[in-house]
Amino acid sequence: MDLPTPQHLALPGDKIREITGFGMSFRADSYVFQPTTLDEVREVFALARQVGRNIVLRGAGRSYGDAAIDAESIALDFTQMKRFLSWDPETGIAECEPGVTIEDLWRTGLPHGWWPKVVSGTMFPTLGGALAMNIHGKNNFRMGTLGDNVLEIDLMTVDGKVRTLTPDQELFYAAISSAGLLGVITRVKLGMKKVHSGDLKVYAESLPNWDAQIEAFEKRAENADYMVSWVDCFGSGAGAGRGLFHAAWHLPDEDSESLLPFHQDLPEKIAKVVPKSQVWRILKPLNNRFGMKWLNAAKHLSGKFVGNRKMHTQSLVAFSFLLDYVPNWRNAYLPDGFIQYQTFVPKEAAKRVFAKQIEMTQEAKMEPFLGVLKKHKPDRFLLSHSLDGYSFALDFKVSEETWPRLQRLCQRMNEMVIESGGRFYLAKDGTLTPEHAQAYLGENLTTLQLLKKELDPEGLLTSGQARRLKLFESA
Ligand SMILES: Cc1cc2nc3c(=O)[nH]c(=O)nc-3n(C[C@H](O)[C@H](O)[C@H](O)COP(=O)(O)OP(=O)(O)OC[C@H]3O[C@@H](n4cnc5c(N)ncnc54)[C@H](O)[C@@H]3O)c2cc1C
């Protein structure tokens, strides 16, 4: 790594890059450093102090908002610390540097019959970034979060010291989930799940309304390995909450061929004709209220008439990482990008709150273009987003003109979520206010502030989100 000498304290101009949240609506110029060793991380801590700048930690930049960006700070990007420190194909236990991705995990494990226990809807997050947010998968209701399935982590604090943390230590539950604000996760040890086939058995059911949505999840929760449902956010009246539910199960029979990457790799062309890399260009002209209303209705109809209430098989990768099918799909939202707004609501209130959220977006003529429902269970991590209930993730297009209205709309929806005892997810946040963050985090925010004073007393680590939410201002 090229670091400036003590005689030349200005940061090198060639390190300046524009970095963005995944939704591209939050952008910042930063000095980007990509360490490859622990000593290089320590050197960047020292450099930040010398030049008087903060540091924002960054993985693959898959958080939608401003959690992994910060204007004019040093961005410490871990994508080049990506070695497996150990891997045992007999036990499925891996020890990884923080830049190892979910994709690296499944490519390494699956040929030996091991699949990551928890994966997000995209395979590109790094383990460091995924643990800092404590990601969940479509099996959250059964398996908990990624953090619930980790054996050990190393946390490097800004004094350069490395602590090994295990699930019997309180700091383990704070380091995981605290959005990179207490220290750097430098090593992750986890076990994978034994699988016999690279395919899943998948059940699809077209659903007419909100009642049917919640009923479908509750009915299958006993035995499904994974569950997820798509909601047409343009549905109203009797069609409010309509959508397409999927449940999936691992297959018990040995099928070694299906474990190989060539069986899993997503096809280069959609319907064997359109190159995947070009699909976002086709989506772009449809990426407005009318186009999306039509596309959502078409998806609802096709779910109703094709494969409804039937089983099919699908590869683990195709089922788990559907959104990775279309590279650069987010470009359809250019020039101003989009936000994802995901709220978590206790199960008794979920139907009421989510139905009302959609009504509010329709009244405002700002319907989300995509809505995804999942079932969750609580966990004991400090800044946990999960609870005994449901989450609803909504993709909203952003434009310079509508941004203030969209923020106000989300903030009105936040009030309902808080009133129901619900929670928010920092990986998907771009619109929380300091008051809303304080309201849902409660005493856990005080604990975070105390830990910050102990582990990072100078406040070296920050992010655009931590500043926006004034997380440490009342400390
Ligand atoms: C298409 C798509 C689908 C998604 N689906 C899901 C889903 O199903 N479930 C879910 O839970 N999430 C989902 N996400 C969100 C994503 O999993 C999280 O945002 C995850 O944190 C991204 O990891 P990353 O490596 O990109 O980290 P970044 O986004 O770069 O950073 C995330 C946070 O981690 C901190 N950080 C980064 N590296 C480290 C480190 N080594 N040590 C300490 N802190 C660090 C950063 O400061 C930041 O606060 C999805 C995102 C996308 C784009």
Side-chain angles (χ1 to χ4, degrees):
M1 234 180 7
D2 268 350
L3 296 180
T5 59
Q7 291 79 30
H8 180 244
L9 279 185
L11 284 167
D14 64 355
K15 297 276 183 204
I16 300 178
R17 313 238 174 88
E18 185 190 57
I19 53 178
T20 76
F22 182 75
M24 303 176 301
S25 51
F26 288 87
R27 296 170 174 271
D29 287 337
S30 290
Y31 296 92
V32 180
F33 288 84
Q34 297 183 308
T36 55
T37 64
L38 294 183
D39 278 339
E40 286 182 358
V41 177
R42 292 185 182 101
E43 284 171 26
V44 175
F45 288 161
L47 174 69
R49 288 189 182 97
Q50 279 173 357
V51 297
R53 292 202 187 252
N54 283 107
I55 294 177
V56 61
L57 307 183
R58 186 168 169 89
R62 254 58 191 183
S63 294
Y64 280 75
D66 48 358
I69 66 174
D70 189 47
E72 301 196 13
S73 284
I74 291 178
L76 198 41
D77 168 332
F78 291 98
T79 50
Q80 298 312 306
M81 274 177 86
K82 54 179 180 186
R83 284 171 304 172
F84 278 74
L85 302 170
S86 72
W87 158 240
D88 183 347
E90 292 300 312
T91 60
I93 293 180
E95 273 182 273
C96 307
E97 288 188 331
V100 167
T101 62
I102 294 171
E103 177 178 19
D104 298 330
L105 270 190
W106 78 254
R107 284 193 186 277
T108 302
L110 197 57
H112 304 278
W114 299 102
W115 178 254
K117 289 185 181 170
V118 171
V119 300
S120 46
T122 170
M123 64 173 105
F124 303 122
T126 63
L127 289 181
L131 276 175
M133 288 303 184
N134 201 15
I135 63 162
H136 62 265
K138 300 178 183 75
N139 55 358
N140 186 256
F141 64 99
R142 179 168 302 288
M143 295 293 292
T145 56
L146 181 61
D148 283 315
N149 291 282
V150 158
L151 301 169
E152 207 173 271
I153 60 169
D154 279 352
L155 181 75
M156 183 194 275
T157 39
V158 292
D159 53 8
K161 278 195 202 134
V162 176
R163 293 167 167 81
T164 295
L165 302 175
T166 49
D168 53 355
Q169 287 162 278
E170 273 311 305
L171 190 53
F172 177 87
Y173 296 92
I176 294 175
S177 81
S178 57
L181 297 168
L182 297 180
V184 179
I185 295 168
T186 52
R187 183 183 63 96
V188 181
K189 182 174 178 186
L190 47 71
M192 293 207 243
K193 178 184 169 60
K194 187 75 199 162
V195 294
H196 303 283
S197 167
D199 286 334
L200 293 167
K201 179 174 79 172
V202 182
Y203 171 77
E205 184 174 345
S206 168
L207 301 173
N209 54 38
W210 283 110
D211 282 332
Q213 288 278 8
I214 302 295
E215 220 177 282
F217 278 95
E218 293 299 314
K219 193 165 135 196
R220 306 268 165 190
E222 278 276 293
N223 71 359
D225 288 320
Y226 303 93
M227 295 193 291
V228 63
S229 196
W230 163 79
V231 178
D232 174 1
C233 299
F234 291 87
S236 59
R242 69 188 187 185
L244 187 60
F245 169 83
H246 287 106
W249 294 260
H250 286 282
L251 291 169
D253 296 332
E254 216 55 58
D255 178 2
S256 49
E257 191 138 313
S258 67
L259 299 173
L260 299 175
F262 84 86
H263 180 80
Q264 299 291 329
D265 277 328
L266 301 171
E268 277 310 307
K269 292 190 173 162
I270 297 214
K272 298 192 177 154
V273 186
V274 187
K276 282 195 311 184
S277 56
Q278 300 307 314
V279 171
W280 70 269
R281 292 182 199 280
I282 300 168
L283 286 177
K284 197 159 175 16
L286 290 170
N287 207 26
N288 53 60
R289 281 185 72 219
F290 297 103
M292 283 295 151
K293 185 173 179 170
W294 180 83
L295 261 187
N296 274 267
K299 180 170 166 65
H300 176 61
L301 279 181
S302 86
K304 217 165 152 180
F305 295 111
V306 185
N308 190 9
R309 296 179 183 239
K310 295 207 173 100
M311 294 281 186
H312 61 279
T313 55
Q314 198 172 12
S315 75
L316 277 160
V317 165
F319 179 81
S320 307
F321 309 123
L322 190 67
L323 287 166
D324 295 342
Y325 252 105
V326 182
N328 298 323
W329 57 267
R330 64 180 178 165
N331 287 352
Y333 283 98
L334 285 172
D336 295 322
F338 70 113
I339 56 165
Q340 186 171 97
Y341 174 86
Q342 184 175 18
T343 55
F344 293 69
V345 173
K347 75 174 168 215
E348 310 71 43
K351 201 165 45 182
R352 172 179 63 80
V353 171
F354 297 151
K356 185 69 191 164
Q357 285 182 343
I358 291 304
E359 270 175 45
M360 289 164 75
T361 66
Q362 292 178 351
E363 274 161 26
K365 299 193 175 3
M366 301 184 92
E367 299 87 347
F369 292 175
L370 178 69
V372 176
L373 205 56
K374 285 185 224 154
K375 184 170 166 65
H376 299 273
K377 73 172 186 182
D379 58 65
R380 56 176 289 197
F381 292 89
L382 188 65
L383 300 198
S384 175
H385 51 272
S386 198
L387 42 59
D388 182 12
Y390 287 85
S391 74
F392 196 25
L394 305 173
D395 284 6
F396 288 101
K397 183 172 182 167
V398 169
S399 77
E400 216 176 302
E401 183 209 334
T402 56
W403 180 230
R405 271 202 308 130
L406 179 57
Q407 278 176 301
R408 283 197 298 276
L409 173 65
C410 293
Q411 285 156 13
R412 282 195 295 126
M413 295 196 290
N414 291 348
E415 298 285 342
M416 269 194 315
V417 172
I418 289 166
E419 162 269 314
S420 74
R423 308 183 71 82
F424 302 88
Y425 186 14
L426 296 177
K428 309 290 182 77
D429 161 54
T431 58
L432 275 174
T433 61
E435 295 71 30
H436 290 149
Q438 174 100 47
Y440 94 88
L441 289 171
E443 284 184 2
N444 289 8
L445 181 55
T446 315
T447 308
L448 178 78
Q449 292 167 342
L450 290 173
L451 285 169
K452 183 79 171 168
K453 276 192 180 143
E454 185 191 327
L455 302 175
D456 179 17
E458 320 140 84
L460 200 62
L461 302 180
T462 190
S463 68
Q465 181 176 57
R467 289 182 201 276
R468 172 170 53 84
L469 300 182
K470 301 190 169 53
L471 289 183
F472 302 113
E473 283 188 20
S474 59

